[in-house]
Amino acid sequence: MTEHNAALLKQLAESLSSPKPAGAPEFIPADAPFDEDQRVWLEGLFTGVFAIASAAKAGAQEVPGTPLKILFGSQSGTSESLSKDLRKFAGTQGFDATIAELDSITPADLTSLNHVLIIAATFGEGEPTDNAQNFYKALMADDAPALPATLHYSVCGMGDRSYAHFNQIGRDLDARLEALGATRAAPLVTCDVDYDDDFATWKTATFDSEAFKSAAGAAQASTEPEAPKPAFDKTHPFLGTLLDVRCLNGEGSAKAVNHIEISLAGGGVDLDYAVGDALGVWPINDAEEVKAILSASGFTGGETVTLKSGPSTLRAALLKMLDLTTVTAKTGEVWGVDIAPDVQVIDVLEAGIEGLTPQALVDGLRALQPRLYSISSSPKKHPGEVHLTVGEVRYDLHGRARQGCASTFLGQRCPHGNAVGVYVQKSSHFHLPADDTAPVIMIGPGTGVAPFRAFLEEREMRGAPGDNWLFFGDQHQATDYLYGEELAAWEASGVLNHLSLAWSRDGADKVYVQHLIEKEGERFFEWLERGASIYVCGDASRMAADVDEAIRAVIATHSGKDREAADAYVEDLKKAGRYQRDVY
Ligand code: NDP
């Protein structure tokens, strides 16, 4: 080896090996047949290769997935739980996803993001959910910021096609993001109540889109400990047993609200729930309605039809698998008829459909869905049981008596001792304060009292020293005082520190819960100043909005500040989780 070459090799070796990485092995055994120059060169080479290999290995472990923000607007918890599933899936596609409520960010926060997915439910009359209101308002406002084209987004809307403003929020967000300059990665998908297929289509289209495919990092194996998946869910319900049904209204009431008790014992596996959660119930249709539909369509029920789950007789499909009420645009398409507004399945069939086959009949119907009810018991007080408070839905339409499928199944048709398919829908947005000393104000007229019976049972069983105040109301004290005896007993025992009752049809003037909030405004504000949390449950369309208004007015009056300051006070309550609503 010439002197020059030896020097070059030494230089190369130094550049590769300097400094020698910690943990680099001694590569050349002492008795190997190399002279000093060769030894230096080879050591350097191996050390350099080792360093490069180590760096590559470390890099492979640490290459982060591409950041992805998944935002949800959820009322009943469906969009939230889909977001959680989506986050896991995103990890397998090379994205490092985080999930958050839409209201946790502002439109300005979007400007620094490159990949955003939104799952947004539409609620009530085309409104955003409680945890999406501020974001929605800010995004739709005239002064919303321009968004960069480097922001790639895709929106999945969740809704119910039987409502006039089907998926309004999903549509609005999708269109507005594009108008502000962001780039749509995949088209908007608007899901109906049977969302599984549409959601899967949206997920595939999004992650297969150019913007997502080209940006995907290395697939990530999740390093987080996984929350245990519930043993039972919507598609794998637990078979509870109907124990008891008791009407809570007295004779002469215009309503039939039933207290339902379901046993969760058996099978050796527990169905866990917490107060504030909802219970999903799989109903079975009314056999009389099935008969009417068969008669109107001219079938016997013995015909064989094919559903997603496989073949079935038409009668069994109508009884257990299909929604016998709702007609949608798809119904009209499949049956080849124009659908008039405000009609139900039986109305369309009775009008007569030419050439309808049993298969077309089922293809035009929506899949039967479970109903969610706020749980009205504490598992601490009733181990192995879950209780519900369900008003039977009955009304007249086009001169025909109609009924709600699930509320009458539970209240009238399901025999005691029969199995009921149920699952728990966790509620992350409606739960008691962790601090048992914190005061709690509960506002729940009508069936809205359900979760508050559960809250009071829970606070009683926990021996929680915090004060409890319940606002309840309904039409008449004599016939509609739901759980009146239990509430009186809690008042007597001191669990319930304050009970405000609003009977809307007992006097000349309507008295509603919000009137009592205003009347007792001073005390209400004093409780808030003591750290009380407010909970509202029940009718979303009128009550919840009027109660919200009363709360703001009371805060403005008794804080001595103006309305703007009261609104800011309410925003702070919401942010602190001290103003929670379960409204429907
Ligand atoms: P409601 O909310 O219908 O009635 C409870 C009490 O609230 C009544 O005294 C009612 O008075 C009063 N009320 C009416 N308007 C307001 C308002 N703007 N602000 C405050 N209080 C008001 O109770 P339900 O439990 O019957 O129904 C609750 C919600 O659940 C409603 O949205 C209903 O559509 C829905 N629902 C009801 C079922 C049922 O059969 N009960 C079943 C399924 C769903 P008044 O009526 O005298 O005006």
Side-chain angles (χ1 to χ4, degrees):
M1 190 178 284
T2 65
E3 215 170 303
H4 175 69
N5 281 351
L8 275 179
L9 282 173
K10 203 168 179 174
Q11 212 178 333
L12 174 65
E14 277 166 5
S15 75
L16 282 169
S17 66
S18 181
K20 189 170 178 175
E26 294 299 331
F27 298 105
I28 314 293
D31 58 354
F34 298 120
D35 65 27
E36 186 53 24
D37 283 340
Q38 287 168 326
R39 181 176 294 277
V40 166
W41 181 75
L42 284 169
E43 277 285 359
L45 182 67
F46 286 138
T47 304
V49 167
F50 172 84
I52 291 164
S54 301
K57 196 169 154 210
Q61 281 164 352
E62 283 163 22
V63 169
T66 305
L68 168 65
K69 192 99 185 163
I70 300 172
L71 298 164
F72 62 87
S74 192
Q75 199 73 32
S76 66
T78 304
S79 299
E80 182 175 354
S81 87
L82 287 174
S83 298
K84 287 179 183 160
D85 292 347
L86 190 63
R87 175 167 169 235
K88 267 188 231 150
F89 178 76
T92 69
Q93 303 299 299
F95 287 88
D96 185 11
T98 52
I99 62 171
E101 298 179 340
L102 276 160
D103 271 359
S104 70
I105 68 160
T106 64
D109 295 332
L110 291 177
T111 56
S112 60
L113 303 176
N114 291 325
H115 295 88
V116 169
L117 298 180
I118 295 179
I119 305 176
T122 295
F123 184 61
E125 303 302 310
E127 290 141 35
T129 56
D130 274 1
N131 55 11
Q133 284 174 357
N134 292 342
F135 176 82
Y136 177 82
K137 210 165 135 195
L139 192 78
M140 302 312 280
D142 291 342
D143 61 356
L147 298 174
T150 47
L151 169 62
H152 300 278
Y153 73 93
S154 181
V155 178
C156 180
M158 304 296 297
D160 182 338
R161 209 174 276 283
S162 62
Y163 281 78
H165 302 278
F166 175 63
N167 259 304
Q168 187 66 47
I169 300 305
R171 290 175 204 281
D172 287 351
L173 292 177
D174 179 63
R176 185 67 174 151
L177 288 168
E178 185 184 42
L180 291 171
T183 306
R184 183 184 294 108
L188 166 78
V189 168
T190 52
C191 294
D192 198 356
V193 289
D194 48 351
Y195 50 79
D196 302 282
D197 290 350
D198 286 334
F199 183 75
T201 304
W202 173 75
K203 190 168 85 172
T204 306
T206 298
F207 286 94
D208 281 355
S209 70
E210 192 45 44
F212 273 66
K213 249 188 166 160
S214 60
Q220 301 291 299
S222 175
T223 51
E224 274 177 46
E226 286 221 352
K229 216 173 161 44
F232 303 98
D233 59 18
K234 185 179 163 194
T235 44
H236 308 95
F238 178 92
L239 286 186
T241 308
L242 188 70
L243 289 178
D244 196 20
V245 178
R246 174 165 52 91
C247 183
L248 296 171
N249 301 97
E251 210 163 310
S253 171
K255 298 183 177 183
V257 176
N258 295 308
H259 173 73
I260 314 270
E261 298 188 354
I262 295 171
S263 166
L264 301 176
V269 191
D270 284 341
L271 184 67
D272 285 332
Y273 70 90
V275 296
D277 289 346
L279 192 75
V281 176
W282 278 100
I284 295 174
N285 284 316
D286 185 355
E288 291 303 314
E289 274 187 66
V290 172
K291 242 192 231 171
I293 284 179
L294 287 172
S295 150
S297 51
F299 302 129
T300 64
E303 299 85 350
T304 300
V305 290
T306 306
L307 303 170
K308 240 173 35 182
S309 52
S312 162
T313 64
L314 177 59
R315 180 177 290 102
L318 292 173
L319 199 59
K320 292 190 173 171
M321 312 295 285
L322 298 164
D323 176 343
L324 302 188
T325 308
T326 318
V327 287
T328 63
K330 186 178 160 210
T331 315
E333 273 166 40
V334 175
W335 294 357
V337 290
D338 288 333
I339 304 275
D342 228 10
V343 290
Q344 297 183 347
V345 169
I346 188 69
D347 307 309
V348 181
L349 291 173
E350 284 189 345
I353 301 173
E354 229 169 276
L356 185 71
T357 62
Q359 187 62 46
L361 172 63
V362 302
D363 288 346
L365 296 178
R366 246 176 16 172
L368 187 63
Q369 293 298 317
R371 306 296 196 277
L372 288 170
Y373 296 106
S374 313
I375 289 174
S376 56
S377 55
S378 156
K380 291 190 174 64
K381 181 136 185 174
H382 307 280
E385 286 183 16
V386 64
H387 300 174
L388 304 175
T389 309
V390 180
E392 286 184 27
V393 178
R394 295 185 186 279
Y395 54 98
D396 259 39
L397 182 66
H398 309 308
R400 182 195 284 264
R402 320 276 173 149
Q403 60 182 29
C405 160
S407 65
T408 56
F409 165 70
L410 285 171
Q412 303 292 332
R413 295 195 305 278
C414 183
H416 290 201
N418 256 45
V420 187
V422 297
Y423 63 96
V424 172
Q425 174 87 54
K426 283 276 158 207
S427 156
S428 59
H429 65 282
F430 201 76
H431 45 75
L432 277 170
D435 176 3
D436 276 349
T437 65
V440 160
I441 301 174
M442 297 160 279
I443 304 159
T447 47
V449 74
F452 303 137
R453 176 181 182 263
F455 277 19
L456 288 165
E457 287 188 347
E458 179 84 8
R459 297 269 277 190
E460 178 189 26
M461 297 304 288
R462 279 198 214 167
D467 288 345
N468 298 307
W469 183 355
L470 174 70
F471 288 86
F472 174 73
D474 215 317
Q475 294 182 358
H476 302 287
Q477 177 156 20
T479 57
D480 305 315
Y481 191 179
L482 310 183
Y483 300 114
E485 282 176 16
E486 291 182 25
L487 296 178
W490 276 318
E491 238 193 327
S493 68
V495 169
L496 193 49
N497 306 80
H498 208 53
L499 177 62
S500 300
L501 299 170
W503 306 112
S504 59
R505 304 193 192 186
D506 274 350
D509 297 320
K510 291 249 181 206
V511 180
Y512 287 159
V513 284
Q514 64 270 25
H515 301 142
L516 302 185
I517 291 172
E518 279 164 0
K519 203 164 148 193
E520 302 210 53
E522 191 177 342
R523 186 199 296 254
F524 196 98
F525 184 67
E526 186 258 317
W527 278 52
L528 288 181
E529 289 288 276
R530 280 202 286 128
S533 294
I534 309 173
Y535 298 87
V536 181
C537 181
D539 172 68
S541 60
R542 299 153 302 147
M543 182 277 293
D546 294 349
V547 163
D548 183 75
E549 183 54 39
I551 291 170
R552 287 165 200 267
V554 158
I555 292 169
T557 306
H558 295 279
S559 66
K561 295 189 183 137
D562 60 11
R563 176 55 190 246
E564 213 173 299
D567 290 345
Y569 191 105
V570 169
E571 277 316 305
D572 288 344
L573 287 177
K574 282 188 187 170
K575 279 192 197 127
R578 286 177 50 208
Y579 183 14
Q580 304 185 5
R581 309 200 304 174
D582 172 12
V583 293
Y584 39 87

